[in-house]
């Protein structure tokens, strides 16, 4: 598939975060597959379980170190996105760890956006301004 039809999905999961972010993104990838869009997943490595789960759904998955900082995460993520030629990025990274680092999270999102990526952010933090093209609040009935 061409780069216009490749979507990079950046989501994490572990015992503290839970599986909801990755499962939601897997459902999104399955829906977009019907529209001939290839999805690649980028996730922090917190053991092999999440990578294996994503691979069971037949998606490519790239991991970055679980203990890297936001700046390294951004650089590694951008390298992976560029390698796959994705023009659109979906992030689903809002969890307790993100909430304690909102300014770094915002800089991270801006870094993705600055690389001329169409950025979709799945998040429900009303008090934060997102440098994203589309923001999806995952809570049914939310404004």
């Amino acid at each position: 598939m061409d780069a216009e039809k490749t979507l990079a999905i950046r989501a994490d999961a572990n015992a503290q975060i839970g599986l909801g972010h990755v499962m939601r993104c897997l459902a999104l990838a399955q829906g977009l597959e019907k529209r001939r869009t290839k999805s690649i997943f980028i996730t922090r490595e917190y053991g092999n379980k999440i990578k294996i789960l994503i691979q069971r759904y037949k998606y490519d998955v790239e991991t970055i170190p679980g203990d890297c900082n936001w700046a390294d995460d951004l650089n590694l993520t951008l390298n992976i996105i560029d390698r796959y030629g994705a023009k659109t990025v979906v992030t689903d990274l809002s969890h307790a760890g993100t909430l304690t680092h909102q300014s770094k999270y915002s800089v991270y999102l801006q870094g993705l956006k600055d690389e001329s990526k169409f950025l979709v952010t799945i998040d429900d933090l009303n008090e934060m301004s997102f440098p994203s093209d589309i923001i999806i609040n995952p809570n049914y009935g939310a404004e």
Side-chain angles (χ1 to χ4, degrees), residues 19-38:
L19 285 174
H21 302 279
V22 168
M23 296 307 293
R24 176 171 45 225
C25 289
L26 282 167
L28 175 64
Q30 287 176 313
L32 290 171
E33 199 172 322
K34 295 175 185 171
R35 296 198 177 273
R36 300 184 54 161
T37 299
K38 176 184 176 179

Side-chain angles (χ1 to χ4, degrees), residues 28-111:
L28 175 64
Q30 287 176 313
L32 290 171
E33 199 172 322
K34 295 175 185 171
R35 296 198 177 273
R36 300 184 54 161
T37 299
K38 176 184 176 179
S39 295
I40 60 135
F41 283 77
I42 304 166
T43 186
R44 285 185 183 237
E45 189 168 353
Y46 296 119
N48 251 352
K49 290 180 181 179
I50 301 309
K51 183 175 182 176
I52 292 167
L53 171 70
I54 294 168
Q55 288 172 331
R56 275 193 205 134
Y57 284 85
K58 309 286 188 228
Y59 295 108
D60 291 341
V61 58
E62 300 279 343
T63 59
I64 58 177
D67 61 352
C68 68
N69 62 39
W70 282 99
D72 290 341
D73 184 321
L74 175 62
N75 289 327
L76 292 167
T77 298
L78 286 171
N79 286 336
I80 295 166
I81 290 167
D82 289 343
R83 191 164 12 107
Y84 281 87
K87 303 288 187 222
T88 302
V89 180
V90 172
T91 63
D92 192 346
L93 295 169
S94 181
H95 51 76
T98 306
L99 295 175
T100 61
H101 301 285
Q102 284 186 25
S103 62
K104 291 178 183 178
Y105 178 41
S106 183
V107 169
Y108 176 86
L109 294 173
Q110 187 65 56

Side-chain angles (χ1 to χ4, degrees), residues 107-142:
V107 169
Y108 176 86
L109 294 173
Q110 187 65 56
L112 291 173
K113 185 71 190 128
D114 287 346
E115 290 297 316
S116 300
K117 305 300 180 198
F118 188 85
L119 183 60
V120 179
T121 301
I122 300 173
D123 208 313
D124 63 355
L125 295 175
N126 294 328
E127 67 272 5
M128 187 174 157
S129 175
F130 294 97
S132 304
D133 295 290
I134 297 174
I135 302 167
I136 299 171
N137 186 329
N139 300 308
Y140 180 76

